[in-house]
Amino acid sequence: MSGEYLQPLHTLQPLEFEDCLTDSPLFRENLKSHEKEIDSTAHSLKHLSAELKRLVGLEEELSKFHRHFANTVAELNFKPIGVSTEDETEIGEAFQKFSTTIDAIEEQRERCLSSRSNSAMKRLEIFRKQDIASCKDARKKFHSQTDKSCSMLEKSLASKRNQKGIDDLDSQCYDERKRLFEGSLEYVWLLHEVQEKKKFEVCEAILQIMLSLKTFYHMGFEMFKELQPYHNDLAKRLQNLRDTFDDEKIRSEKLKERVSKKLTLGSTSSSPDTRQGYLFSKEKTAVGFGHSWSKMFCEYKRKPKTLTVTPYNQTAGKMGTPEDINVASVVKKRSEELPRRFCFEVKSADDKVWTLQALSETDLKNWMEIMEGKEPSYSEPMQTAKLQVPPDTGIEFVKLCIKRMGELGLREQGIYRVSGAQTKVNKLIAITFEEKKTAAVMEIDDIKVIASALKMYFREILPEPLLTFKLHESFLEAMKTEDRHQRIKNLTNVVSALPKTNYDCLKILIKHLNDVAALKEDNLMQESNLGVVFGPTLMRPREETVASIFMIKHQNSLVENLIIEYDAIFQGGEMNKIYSSMVQTRNSARLTKRPNFKQKAAPTPPSAKTTGSTTTGGTSNNVNPFDSSDEDLSPVGGGPAASQPHHYVNRGPWPPPSASSSTNPPVKPIKTMARQKYNLTATVIYECIADEPDELSFKVGDIITNIREAEEEGWVTGTCRGKTGLVPRNHLNLPKSNV
């Protein structure tokens, strides 16, 4: 099941954009752990790339280097950010399974075959030399800017009041601090992007190598046939992670923009009762006379009026022992009392006096306000509901939407994923809730408009999410149980704790989504797709942070579980036996089985049978040992091939045509408006350079995924290296039944 909780032993903590403002010691320490992980990843990928080059360059020692490569893959271990999902855990375990598969094949190898690993090798090199290298460059820039900012700040604060050029010095200090903050935001975003992107980039590259091995190793046919369901499931998980990454990226960018506005407001905390930031503390020198100013990271809590000071300087990177001060009073220092600016005194309950210096006049004002109990600056709140809708009206609207969609038919492709016209959606919402005409939905004939309006109701109209803020953590906690039966039981208990109105509405909605998923062969919307759509819609935290964005994948999994186990959760029935059996089979699969290759000849493809090619020793000279029947293309669980992302197949004449065996690639077909329907993944057999912006460029051996029907005759749409566009059908090794 995609997105289920599995707690790893060691995880990385999310880097909050909010912490870029305060630049706390813990933030710096957390930053170090991410940098160490990036270095570890770069080292692992460098070693992995080196092994791949050896495989390509030393064909005569291919078996030996495949074992080295298998060991390298087995050593890959990526630390997840926060709580790991089952998808992430499965991808981590995939490296072990890949390694075991290669070792098993090498035991049966009788001769070496050429491995076309160039594409995967280039992909890893691009990720290491571009993504990880850019992250390292950002690290150097960030630490350099830290040194500049701290140096300029100390120089500015140490200057005398009437010193010539002090205004220019303050302006330069502010500019350096602003550049440090902006660089910190960009660096944190880049770290998260690389940390998340490496999961599917590296794993998909390894998966591509596995498919090339499947193509060339005749003797490994039986083992690869046994692994085909696992590959399909892994491809689905990779697609789920990629979809989640795209959603997280959009949400993180919006959150980063909101946090960046807080520099102008002088805010360093999202809470009105706390403030964090750096202050300089006046202290006596060790010799007993004179004084010095030490940099402290301070956190003040209005309740119970406690100021925590921690000695820390970003340039030194060493954190001192924190000390709590019970604040009794705060007095601003007069300008004639101290040569330094922005100073104030804090008197503790035990009559100890602390002299502190703020970073600027605005910073001083903000510290004085919160420590004297004044109203702080207003933080930008999360978006609230635009309309006040009575519960009965809302449920009636949900029922009518579902009823009308049932009348129009739930077989519409991409239902809920493809949005309706926004103007029509807004008009329907306005008529329903402002003009109180709930029956207006029954007059709509566009099912996409109704679906979009229903999503908009749950996402924007309701004052809080359907699964409530109160039970948000309880729902996520219920998903942490590894045992599936206990997990569904816990989820049922939390659902039962919902308010009656919320429970009734959720039951109606999930029953509807269950009906939609039942027609996934036509609408291409299986349970996981619906989970991606409704996870963030039915659940959200009170405050959006980077950590909460990384929890969206778990919300998606939760909604997916609700749909699959509707009978067990809402009707008191039994769990989904088909899905439970599929999960049990997948989890119990082992790679220790060794088929007797010497007693089993490779199968003969249909093309060889019809052409009557000569054979030697009972084996055809033109044999494709990996040709699959139509049944082999059926996805796990009986769903359509179209709903299974990255459904890898390899069919057609054996060996597959290559650039060396062909003269000129076929001419691209003329674009017309005919339609062909097939949903596969295939290998490129002819190189192609795009002539139009909507076309893809690719090389021989590349993998085209998510192949679907196109409006133009002779063309298909597909995805290659993360880009989607038109592909000439005759450039692909597609099954003849679909050509």
Side-chain angles (χ1 to χ4, degrees):
M1 170 59 64
S2 63
E4 297 172 359
Y5 278 88
L6 288 176
Q7 180 64 49
L9 295 176
H10 302 287
T11 62
L12 295 172
Q13 296 300 318
L15 289 167
E16 295 291 348
F17 292 127
E18 192 82 33
D19 291 339
C20 295
L21 287 169
T22 59
D23 201 10
S24 67
L26 294 179
F27 168 72
R28 288 280 177 162
E29 293 300 317
N30 194 13
L31 200 63
K32 289 181 181 178
S33 65
H34 279 262
E35 291 173 346
K36 290 180 180 179
E37 176 63 10
I38 290 294
D39 292 337
S40 175
T41 299
H43 176 76
S44 298
L45 294 185
K46 185 177 181 180
H47 183 53
L48 183 63
S49 298
E51 293 298 332
L52 275 173
K53 291 178 182 179
R54 295 175 65 189
L55 286 172
V56 174
L58 303 175
E59 182 177 353
E60 65 279 7
E61 297 181 1
L62 190 59
S63 178
K64 171 185 174 181
F65 291 124
H66 269 166
R67 292 188 179 276
H68 287 315
F69 171 65
N71 294 334
T72 304
V73 171
E75 293 172 357
L76 290 174
N77 183 23
F78 297 143
K79 295 180 181 179
I81 297 178
V83 181
S84 176
T85 64
E86 186 182 356
D87 284 342
E88 293 170 330
T89 303
E90 283 289 335
I91 287 177
E93 295 177 354
F95 300 132
Q96 295 290 337
K97 292 192 177 183
F98 293 154
S99 175
T100 306
T101 303
I102 296 174
D103 286 337
I105 292 176
E106 291 306 317
E107 291 177 3
Q108 304 296 333
R109 180 193 292 272
E110 294 182 355
R111 58 190 178 94
C112 295
L113 297 174
S114 176
S115 174
R116 289 191 285 184
S117 303
N118 290 322
S119 177
M121 183 174 61
K122 290 179 181 178
R123 185 171 188 167
L124 289 173
E125 285 294 300
I126 290 174
F127 178 75
R128 184 173 66 89
K129 293 182 178 180
Q130 294 183 2
D131 295 78
I132 295 182
S134 64
C135 193
K136 291 184 176 180
D137 292 339
R139 179 199 304 182
K140 295 179 181 178
K141 184 177 179 181
F142 170 75
H143 289 297
S144 175
Q145 188 60 43
T146 297
D147 295 339
K148 291 181 181 179
S149 177
C150 293
S151 176
M152 183 63 68
L153 178 62
E154 294 179 3
K155 183 178 179 181
S156 173
L157 295 177
S159 61
K160 304 300 181 181
R161 185 178 301 103
N162 298 323
Q163 181 177 328
K164 184 178 179 180
I166 192 171
D167 293 336
D168 293 338
L169 194 59
D170 288 347
S171 177
Q172 294 176 12
C173 181
Y174 174 80
D175 292 340
E176 291 297 338
R177 286 171 54 213
K178 183 178 180 181
R179 281 192 285 270
L180 174 60
F181 170 68
E182 293 173 348
S184 179
L185 282 177
E186 191 63 29
Y187 183 36
V188 167
W189 161 242
L190 191 58
L191 280 173
H192 278 305
E193 184 178 39
V194 173
Q195 297 282 34
E196 288 296 295
K197 190 177 180 181
K198 67 184 179 183
K199 300 172 185 175
F200 52 80
E201 285 289 346
V202 178
C203 192
E204 284 184 343
I206 304 300
L207 182 59
Q208 188 173 1
I209 296 171
M210 298 302 296
L211 294 174
S212 68
L213 290 175
K214 176 182 178 181
T215 303
F216 288 99
Y217 287 117
H218 295 198
M219 298 302 177
F221 168 69
E222 287 296 335
M223 184 166 291
F224 275 111
K225 182 178 180 181
E226 181 180 326
L227 283 175
Q228 187 64 47
Y230 173 76
H231 282 161
N232 294 338
D233 181 69
L234 180 61
K236 173 186 172 183
R237 295 176 184 277
L238 290 169
Q239 187 63 44
N240 289 341
L241 278 180
R242 183 179 288 277
D243 293 341
T244 302
F245 169 77
D246 293 338
D247 187 45
E248 289 174 350
K249 183 176 181 180
I250 295 173
R251 292 174 181 272
S252 295
E253 289 175 346
K254 293 180 179 178
L255 178 60
K256 184 176 68 172
E257 292 176 1
R258 292 203 300 271
V259 173
S260 66
K261 297 178 182 178
K262 293 192 174 185
L263 180 64
T264 306
L265 301 175
S267 172
T268 57
S269 177
S270 58
S271 171
D273 295 323
T274 63
R275 180 171 177 79
Q276 296 176 325
Y278 283 95
L279 295 172
F280 282 78
S281 174
K282 183 179 179 182
E283 298 177 348
K284 290 184 179 181
T285 59
V287 295
F289 58 90
H291 62 268
S292 62
W293 293 84
S294 301
K295 198 172 187 180
M296 304 281 186
F297 182 80
C298 303
E299 179 180 11
Y300 179 76
K301 296 181 179 179
R302 190 189 300 273
K303 297 178 182 180
K305 297 187 69 174
T306 302
L307 178 66
T308 303
V309 295
T310 304
Y312 187 79
N313 192 306
Q314 296 101 316
T315 56
K318 185 176 180 181
M319 184 170 60
T321 304
E323 181 177 355
D324 292 333
I325 304 172
N326 295 323
V327 178
S329 62
V330 179
V331 179
K332 182 178 179 180
K333 297 292 289 184
R334 291 179 296 183
S335 58
E336 60 270 15
E337 293 178 341
L338 281 175
R340 286 203 174 200
R341 303 170 294 164
F342 322 134
C343 294
F344 61 99
E345 283 188 352
V346 176
K347 187 176 182 180
S348 63
D350 55 359
D351 293 331
K352 184 178 179 180
V353 177
W354 294 67
T355 302
L356 303 174
Q357 182 183 21
L359 307 184
S360 65
E361 189 66 38
T362 302
D363 191 43
L364 173 62
K365 179 181 177 181
N366 290 332
W367 279 107
M368 295 297 293
E369 283 182 352
I370 192 169
M371 297 181 77
E372 292 178 354
K374 296 180 181 179
E375 186 69 16
S377 300
Y378 178 72
S379 298
E380 182 180 354
M382 293 184 65
Q383 183 178 2
T384 57
K386 299 178 180 179
L387 298 172
Q388 296 296 328
V389 180
D392 294 342
T393 303
I395 293 183
E396 182 65 20
F397 174 70
V398 173
K399 290 180 178 179
L400 290 176
C401 285
I402 293 175
K403 179 180 179 181
R404 183 56 179 161
M405 293 174 70
E407 293 174 354
L408 296 175
L410 302 178
R411 301 180 184 273
E412 179 79 16
Q413 286 193 6
I415 182 174
Y416 284 116
R417 183 178 288 279
V418 180
S419 301
Q422 192 60 44
T423 54
K424 295 182 179 180
V425 175
N426 294 338
K427 182 178 180 180
L428 175 59
I429 292 295
I431 294 175
T432 301
F433 297 112
E434 294 180 6
E435 301 180 13
K436 312 298 183 183
K437 298 179 180 179
T438 54
V441 68
M442 301 303 294
E443 301 175 2
I444 304 297
D445 295 327
D446 190 341
I447 194 171
K448 293 189 291 293
V449 172
I450 302 175
S452 298
L454 186 60
K455 290 189 296 182
M456 185 176 181
Y457 167 74
F458 287 113
R459 183 177 62 250
E460 300 182 19
I461 306 301
L462 284 179
E464 70 170 336
L466 186 64
L467 299 186
T468 71
F469 290 131
K470 181 180 179 181
L471 296 177
H472 182 83
E473 293 299 329
S474 298
F475 274 110
L476 295 180
E477 192 68 25
M479 295 296 295
K480 292 182 180 180
T481 310
E482 295 187 17
D483 181 73
R484 175 170 174 76
H485 287 79
Q486 186 62 40
R487 180 168 60 251
I488 299 304
K489 182 179 179 180
N490 294 344
L491 187 58
T492 303
N493 294 335
V494 182
V495 169
S496 302
L498 286 168
K500 186 178 185 307
T501 302
N502 296 55
Y503 178 88
D504 294 341
C505 187
L506 179 66
K507 182 177 180 180
I508 294 171
L509 175 65
I510 298 301
K511 177 61 172 70
H512 164 67
L513 297 181
N514 187 275
D515 294 338
V516 173
L519 300 174
K520 55 191 173 185
E521 186 173 351
D522 298 312
N523 58 38
L524 308 183
M525 291 298 290
Q526 58 186 5
E527 293 86 348
S528 60
N529 301 133
L530 295 171
V532 171
V533 173
F534 280 92
T537 301
L538 302 182
M539 292 182 67
R540 68 175 183 272
R542 291 185 184 274
E543 180 182 356
E544 186 177 25
T545 63
V546 173
S548 68
I549 292 176
F550 285 124
M551 297 301 289
I552 291 177
K553 49 195 172 188
H554 304 306
Q555 299 171 195
N556 301 346
S557 176
L558 188 146
V559 175
E560 182 182 355
N561 274 269
L562 291 177
I563 298 173
I564 293 176
E565 300 298 344
Y566 169 81
D567 290 338
I569 295 175
F570 294 96
Q571 302 289 356
E574 297 182 355
M575 291 179 57
N576 190 316
K577 294 183 178 180
I578 296 178
Y579 185 82
S580 299
S581 175
M582 183 186 70
V583 172
Q584 183 178 3
T585 302
R586 184 190 68 217
N587 293 339
S588 62
R590 295 292 182 266
L591 299 178
T592 56
K593 182 179 179 181
R594 303 282 200 275
N596 189 346
F597 295 103
K598 295 182 179 180
Q599 297 178 1
K600 186 176 181 65
T604 302
S607 58
K609 295 177 181 179
T610 56
T611 56
S613 57
T614 60
T615 60
T616 303
T619 304
S620 173
N621 292 331
N622 189 26
V623 174
N624 179 358
F626 303 109
D627 185 65
S628 304
S629 64
D630 292 340
E631 289 75 15
D632 291 335
L633 300 179
S634 300
V636 178
S643 63
Q644 298 290 333
H646 297 304
H647 193 107
Y648 295 98
V649 297
N650 187 356
R651 303 178 63 181
W654 182 260
S658 62
S660 59
S661 61
S662 62
T663 55
N664 297 320
V667 180
K668 294 182 181 179
I670 300 176
K671 298 179 182 178
T672 62
M673 296 303 293
R675 279 184 174 269
Q676 299 290 333
K677 289 190 176 182
Y678 42 89
N679 296 275
L680 298 171
T681 295
T683 306
V684 173
I685 57 177
Y686 297 105
E687 183 176 355
C688 177
I689 299 177
D691 296 326
E692 302 292 340
D694 59 348
E695 299 178 11
L696 289 180
S697 296
F698 42 80
K699 298 181 179 180
V700 175
D702 283 351
I703 301 297
I704 306 296
T705 63
N706 296 335
I707 297 177
R708 301 192 179 188
E709 59 182 359
E711 296 288 345
E712 298 82 359
E713 183 177 5
W715 294 76
V716 296
T717 61
T719 302
C720 182
R721 302 191 192 95
K723 296 180 63 177
T724 301
L726 289 171
V727 178
R729 187 181 58 195
N730 52 15
H731 283 55
L732 304 178
N733 186 20
L734 282 171
K736 290 185 177 181
S737 59
N738 290 309
V739 176

